[in-house]
């Protein structure tokens, strides 16, 4: 198993309810269109497929989808939406687990490559993607740009959400390239908050491009969002597409 932290049953059971915005038509529509266009008539493989937020509706659009998922609890939630014949899922880590066949598209969304906490594991994730791709196939990653521009000297925390029911902020270890996301979520009606945190290894786009080169992939496209807006120095995230040479 890689260094990724495991999702628990409790977290998996409430995941969809807490990610309703990310599951909305406004978010999923452009995401699915982008991925379906790249998949074409081929098969798609989602690394860290989770509860199937993207994989299930992509399958419903007619793209054959398979998945790899580390947490059996997350996969169990997906199974309530699609059976194994419709959407097969292998339990394992996305850096080393191999599933049968070739794919025209491998994709990894919602910052999930950062769950791998070492550079070596992230490189192996790229290699695993290349291993599954047919010649000419693409590997797609959605990842936030590290918000280090918001860190003045001496500050180690950056807030990313301050709302009525949730407070979220990241703290940074600039030497190890590790950020910890802290979440305080209002739980129930008694005014209390549930506290959670998760560790991530952040990486710059240029570092990912080097990982791709190590895996034999070539950068084809980088945009700021699923709608295809240009990626600039002010972009908060990127969608990057690497191609396996034909």
């Amino acid at each position: 198993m890689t260094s990724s932290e495991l999702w628990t049953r409790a977290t998996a059971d409430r995941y969809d309810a807490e990610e309703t915005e990310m599951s909305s038509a406004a978010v999923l529509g452009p995401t699915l269109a982008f991925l379906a266009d790249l998949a074409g008539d081929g098969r798609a493989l989602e690394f860290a497929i989770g509860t199937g937020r993207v994989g299930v509706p992509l399958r419903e659009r007619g793209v054959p989808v398979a998945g790899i998922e580390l947490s059996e609890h997350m996969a169990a939630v997906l199974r309530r939406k699609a059976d194994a014949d419709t959407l097969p899922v292998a339990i394992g880590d996305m850096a080393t687990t191999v599933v049968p066949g070739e794919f025209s598209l491998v994709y990894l969304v919602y910052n999930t490559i950062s769950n791998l906490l070492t550079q070596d594991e992230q490189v192996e994730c790229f290699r695993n993607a290349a291993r599954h791709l047919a010649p000419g196939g693409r590997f797609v990653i959605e990842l936030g740009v590290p918000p280090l521009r918001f860190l003045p000297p001496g500050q180690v925390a950056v807030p990313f959400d301050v709302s009525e029911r949730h407070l979220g902020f990241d703290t940074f270890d600039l030497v190890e390239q590790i950020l910890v996301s802290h979440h305080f979520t209002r739980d129930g009606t008694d005014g209390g908050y549930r506290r959670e945190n998760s560790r991530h290894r952040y990486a710059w786009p240029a570092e990912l491009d080097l990982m791709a080169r190590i895996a034999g992939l070539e950068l084809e496209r980088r945009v700021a969002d699923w709608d295809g807006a240009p990626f600039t120095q002010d972009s908060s995230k990127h969608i990057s597409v690497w191609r396996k040479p034909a």
Side-chain angles (χ1 to χ4, degrees), residues 147-148 150-159 170-172 174:
L148 301 188
F150 295 101
L151 279 177
Q155 182 172 314
V156 297
V158 173
D170 293 328
T171 55
F172 293 84
L174 302 182

Side-chain angles (χ1 to χ4, degrees), residues 120-245:
D120 286 345
E121 288 174 348
Q122 291 178 352
V123 169
E124 288 306 312
C125 182
F126 272 83
R127 284 178 167 153
N128 201 29
R131 184 180 298 124
H132 285 91
L133 285 173
R138 276 93 170 189
F139 182 35
V140 176
I141 282 181
E142 175 189 23
L143 184 63
V145 176
L148 301 188
R149 295 170 66 186
F150 295 101
L151 279 177
Q155 182 172 314
V156 297
V158 173
F160 58 84
D161 184 34
V162 179
S163 61
E164 179 66 23
R165 62 178 306 275
H166 179 254
L167 169 64
F169 62 92
D170 293 328
T171 55
F172 293 84
D173 179 336
L174 302 182
V175 174
E176 299 296 330
Q177 286 184 218
I178 295 292
L179 70 83
V180 181
S181 288
H182 304 265
H183 301 267
F184 294 83
T185 306
R186 189 179 294 276
D187 203 1
T189 59
D190 61 358
Y193 281 81
R194 182 178 71 253
R195 180 178 181 177
E196 298 172 303
N197 61 69
S198 58
R199 295 193 302 152
H200 307 268
R201 182 185 187 272
Y202 63 85
W204 300 97
E207 184 181 2
L208 298 180
D209 289 342
L210 185 56
M211 295 181 189
R213 288 177 61 190
I214 292 171
L217 305 176
E218 302 169 347
L219 180 66
E220 182 176 73
R221 184 183 182 197
R222 175 167 289 128
V223 292
D225 56 35
W226 295 107
D227 288 312
F231 179 74
T232 72
Q233 65 178 2
D234 296 319
S235 299
S236 61
K237 74 173 186 179
H238 61 97
I239 314 297
S240 295
V241 182
W242 297 274
R243 184 175 181 270
K244 184 175 183 175

